[in-house]
Amino acid sequence: MRRVAQVIRVRPEKLDEYRELHREVPEPVLARLRASRIANYSIHLLGDRLFSYFEYHGDDLDADLAAIADDPATQEWWKLTDPCQEPVPEAAEGEWWTPLERVFLME
């Protein structure tokens, strides 16, 4: 199992909309995440930063992320959520959600 933590900025004027969207994530979007071996997915907020965490239980994260990106339901979902977000200043060129460095783990 691989743990993935990421960060992105939420546009302050879109925060209420972002919260509302996530009150009822469409089941086909959740099903695609599960089919891509993603579990324990959560998003947390601090100020204008969104922090996500999920556990990946597969062997090829890049391929499973590509399958998510190719999914029509997910593409429609992202049309709603992407306008609420913007990369953090620390993001690499072309990066949307920015990976976080793990500095501690207690199991």
Side-chain angles (χ1 to χ4, degrees):
M1 186 263 299
R2 177 175 169 185
R3 293 174 175 88
V4 178
Q6 302 170 310
V7 63
I8 198 166
R9 185 173 177 272
V10 64
R11 296 176 191 274
E13 70 275 12
K14 296 281 195 173
L15 180 55
D16 289 339
E17 179 181 347
Y18 193 81
R19 282 185 173 123
E20 185 63 31
L21 286 167
H22 283 82
R23 285 193 180 101
E24 292 189 41
V25 177
E27 185 54 40
V29 172
L30 298 175
R32 177 68 257 172
L33 291 169
R34 289 183 192 104
S36 291
R37 296 171 263 305
I38 289 177
N40 294 324
Y41 188 8
S42 61
I43 299 174
H44 308 266
L45 175 68
L46 176 65
D48 67 352
R49 301 250 174 148
L50 296 168
F51 300 87
S52 74
Y53 170 84
F54 63 85
E55 296 169 354
Y56 177 66
H57 294 269
D59 298 320
D60 190 344
L61 180 58
D62 290 336
D64 281 318
L65 292 176
I68 293 168
D70 288 341
D71 177 61
T74 300
Q75 291 171 2
E76 290 301 311
W77 175 245
W78 287 348
K79 286 179 186 176
L80 300 172
T81 60
D82 282 4
C84 299
Q85 305 166 336
E86 64 184 10
V88 294
E90 299 88 348
E93 182 69 29
E95 197 169 56
W96 194 244
W97 281 86
T98 300
L100 297 172
E101 174 188 0
R102 183 175 72 201
V103 295
F104 175 75
L105 172 64
M106 183 191 92
E107 292 190 284

